[in-house]
Amino acid sequence: MIAALRAAALALAVGATAAVAQDGGDGLAEASGAVLRGLDKVSATASDIVLAVGQTVEFGHLQVTLKECRYPADDPSSNAYAYLIITDPNVAQPVFEGWMIADSPALSALDHQRYDVWVMRCKTD
């Protein structure tokens, strides 16, 4: 039940963001990349993951691909929306595919036994 509510809320938030971004009236800008934070829960180490749009990097044994990053044009540091595909070579389907929102990391989170990955900000430089 909670997972269904979380998925519905995310779909509404991302759908609204995508619809507004397409018409240009929302003030969102597209970035050239993103900064993510990864946590290895076994070793308790965190590290930043810097990606360009379209780039794939390894984090532990995960593959993280950034498809898109959007941010408020008038306040780039306030929030970020990143579309990520995260795969694990031991699993047939992606372990995460969708939008992650920087100021609401629990709304759409990676569910992995060893790793956490979340969005910090879009790269604006």
Side-chain angles (χ1 to χ4, degrees):
M1 176 81 173
I2 292 174
L5 290 174
R6 193 180 317 168
L10 178 63
L12 287 173
V14 171
T17 300
V20 174
Q22 288 174 352
D23 72 17
D26 66 342
L28 288 180
E30 291 188 27
S32 61
V35 178
L36 314 176
R37 177 127 331 131
L39 172 67
D40 182 330
K41 296 184 260 187
V42 173
S43 67
T45 56
S47 56
D48 286 352
I49 304 165
V50 181
L51 289 159
V53 170
Q55 183 181 11
T56 299
V57 298
E58 289 186 16
F59 175 68
H61 65 266
L62 299 179
Q63 299 282 322
V64 181
T65 303
L66 175 66
K67 291 296 186 181
E68 192 172 348
C69 194
R70 297 180 185 173
Y71 64 93
D74 60 345
D75 189 7
S77 63
S78 69
N79 202 7
Y81 308 86
Y83 192 90
L84 302 171
I85 300 171
I86 303 174
T87 58
D88 183 332
N90 300 319
V91 180
Q93 299 291 343
V95 292
F96 180 87
E97 183 172 2
W99 290 95
M100 280 191 186
I101 303 170
D103 70 353
S104 302
L107 185 61
S108 178
L110 169 66
D111 184 21
H112 193 272
Q113 66 273 13
R114 179 166 182 171
Y115 301 105
D116 279 337
V117 174
W118 63 95
V119 179
M120 298 298 293
R121 66 185 174 280
C122 289
K123 283 178 46 179
T124 58
D125 52 297

